[in-house]
Amino acid sequence: MTEVLGRKRADDGDATAERDEATGHLGAYRARDGSPGATVRVDMNRPHAGLVVGKRGYGKSYTLGVLAEELARTGGVAPVVADPMGVFGSLADLGEGDVSIVTRPRVSADALAPRAWCDLLGLAPDSAAGTLVWRAAAERDSLAGMTEYVADAEAVRPARRAASNHLALAASWGVFDAGGLAAGDLLDSAATVLDLSALPSEAANAVVRAVASGLYDRCAGRGSRSEREDLDRLPWLLVDEAHAFFDGVAGPALRTLLTRGRQPGASFVAATQRPGALPPVAVSQADLLVAHRLTSRADLDALAAARPTYVSSPLAERLPERPGDAVVVDDATESVHAVRIRERETPHGGESPRASRVARDAGGARGARDPRGAECEPE
């Protein structure tokens, strides 16, 4: 029997047909002795807010990659992966339609609201330079136009100089372009990976802010006339190392997608090794929580604070110890499951190099490796 997580059990005559519709293979149930049980699939037919957590080396990014693989082959959805570490490029090998890997992605300057520009550049909105940047962003739709506006503004010279210097810094990142990514571009591909690994944190946050806002606005019908047309695909935004974006200028857009995105059809999945660094709403709003091993007290407390009433025992007591194993809390069925995540179909780029492995490979001996997490030593 196959279980579908994230979906209420249908009790009508179409239960079997609905269960087979738009689901992804997540893994298998984990028996007490560690052996695999029945297949576990996850619902991809309805919008969801998901959270994947786990300490380094236990499968957090790997699980996010499994979800991306399944979404890429599911009709009617378009996954977008924000990849701050450059580890998801192998999804292009999946062979499922047009999977786009975008290195150094660019977005339009007017994809960020005027207040977001002040936050991005670290300028107080009520300061002389911050006010000038705010006005420039409100009046012009490109970074070049904003720079020109500041240069010609009737403001004191120190304010113009400070605003110009901050805009020059933003220009040096190379991520703002009038022809940058739009929501429609992202929904045209089977999957899109935004490789943010070469960008400074502020620039990566700007891209994620623009993408999250654009996807939400497209679903909510707030874009241009063409953007208000019926959607061919529903977006799923998957963000690795999500704590770095909730702490930055992308945070407000991610909160909006998390708390209000499901109603218009936008899904969001955050992955982090530091759930304690996320805002409480990121944990409490997740209708699907995939928890790998955690040991930090702050991270365990964050999960405990948002524990649903139907989870009788603390999640800390249920967390697995083996890489690739996870506890899944499913709010749709108000149940908790012990799951072994399936192996990736595309190479996983999230492992760190290890001196011991290099030495063994050089000597002709290879250790057995669990691709879902840490390396397993040979017996």
Side-chain angles (χ1 to χ4, degrees):
M1 177 180 177
T2 298
E3 182 74 17
V4 178
L5 305 183
R7 178 180 297 179
K8 293 182 179 179
R9 295 180 177 87
D11 55 5
D12 56 27
D14 296 329
T16 302
E18 183 181 354
R19 187 169 291 116
D20 292 337
E21 180 185 8
T23 66
H25 180 199
L26 182 65
Y29 279 119
R30 174 168 46 88
R32 291 183 180 273
D33 63 359
S35 60
T39 298
V40 175
R41 301 184 71 83
V42 63
D43 175 64
M44 294 177 173
N45 196 38
R46 297 165 178 78
H48 292 281
L51 178 62
V52 182
V53 302
K55 67 183 295 184
R56 183 180 179 86
Y58 281 83
K60 172 262 302 176
S61 296
Y62 192 97
T63 297
L64 198 67
V66 168
L67 290 173
E69 288 178 350
E70 294 298 325
L71 286 164
R73 61 164 56 97
T74 299
V77 300
V80 180
V81 183
D83 180 11
M85 304 300 291
V87 299
F88 291 98
S90 62
L91 288 172
D93 299 334
L94 192 60
E96 295 290 337
D98 180 22
V99 178
S100 300
I101 310 299
V102 184
T103 58
R104 298 192 68 89
R106 294 170 174 80
V107 295
S108 175
D110 63 354
L112 272 64
R115 171 58 190 260
W117 271 101
C118 294
D119 295 338
L120 176 66
L121 300 177
L123 294 171
D126 57 354
S127 67
T131 300
L132 193 51
V133 167
W134 183 307
R135 285 164 37 201
E139 294 290 336
R140 303 296 175 88
D141 59 3
S142 69
L143 187 53
M146 291 170 61
T147 302
E148 181 182 359
Y149 181 92
V150 168
D152 295 339
E154 294 183 1
V156 295
R157 185 175 179 181
R160 291 203 310 270
R161 184 189 305 116
S164 295
N165 288 341
H166 281 84
L167 292 176
L169 174 63
S172 72
W173 300 333
V175 299
F176 295 107
D177 189 303
L181 289 170
D185 301 324
L186 299 171
L187 297 179
D188 284 342
S189 298
T192 303
V193 176
L194 305 177
D195 186 347
L196 309 172
S197 59
L199 302 179
S201 175
E202 296 88 351
N205 262 268
V207 171
V208 173
R209 169 73 175 251
V211 168
S213 296
L215 293 176
Y216 176 78
D217 288 347
R218 176 70 184 266
C219 289
R222 295 180 179 178
S224 64
R225 183 176 179 180
S226 62
E227 296 271 296
R228 296 191 185 105
E229 296 174 357
D230 290 342
L231 297 173
D232 293 328
R233 296 177 177 176
L234 297 179
W236 284 64
L237 180 61
L238 285 62
V239 180
D240 200 11
E241 305 297 338
H243 55 275
F245 297 100
F246 274 104
D247 283 344
V249 73
L254 296 183
R255 287 181 178 87
T256 297
L257 204 59
L258 177 66
T259 59
R260 296 159 54 187
R262 278 172 285 181
Q263 193 279 330
S267 297
F268 174 60
V269 181
T272 181
Q273 56 187 298
R274 296 177 56 202
L278 296 180
V281 69
V283 183
S284 64
Q285 286 290 315
D287 64 295
L288 278 172
L289 167 64
V290 181
H292 295 278
R293 179 167 172 77
L294 289 169
T295 55
S296 166
R297 175 50 54 191
D299 296 331
L300 293 171
D301 288 346
L303 295 187
R307 187 183 74 189
T309 56
Y310 54 81
V311 180
S312 57
S313 59
L315 284 175
E317 297 178 2
R318 296 171 175 248
L319 293 182
E321 297 185 358
R322 184 173 60 158
D325 288 350
V327 168
V328 181
V329 180
D330 175 16
D331 200 53
T333 58
E334 297 188 352
S335 55
V336 185
H337 309 267
V339 175
R340 179 71 173 166
I341 304 299
R342 72 160 175 82
E343 291 195 15
R344 288 271 304 269
E345 297 177 23
T346 54
H348 176 51
E351 288 187 295
S352 300
R354 302 186 186 184
S356 58
R357 187 180 307 159
V358 172
R360 282 197 299 271
D361 291 350
R366 285 181 173 268
R369 183 168 62 86
D370 186 334
R372 288 159 286 197
E375 185 179 50
C376 304
E377 295 297 331
E379 297 180 358

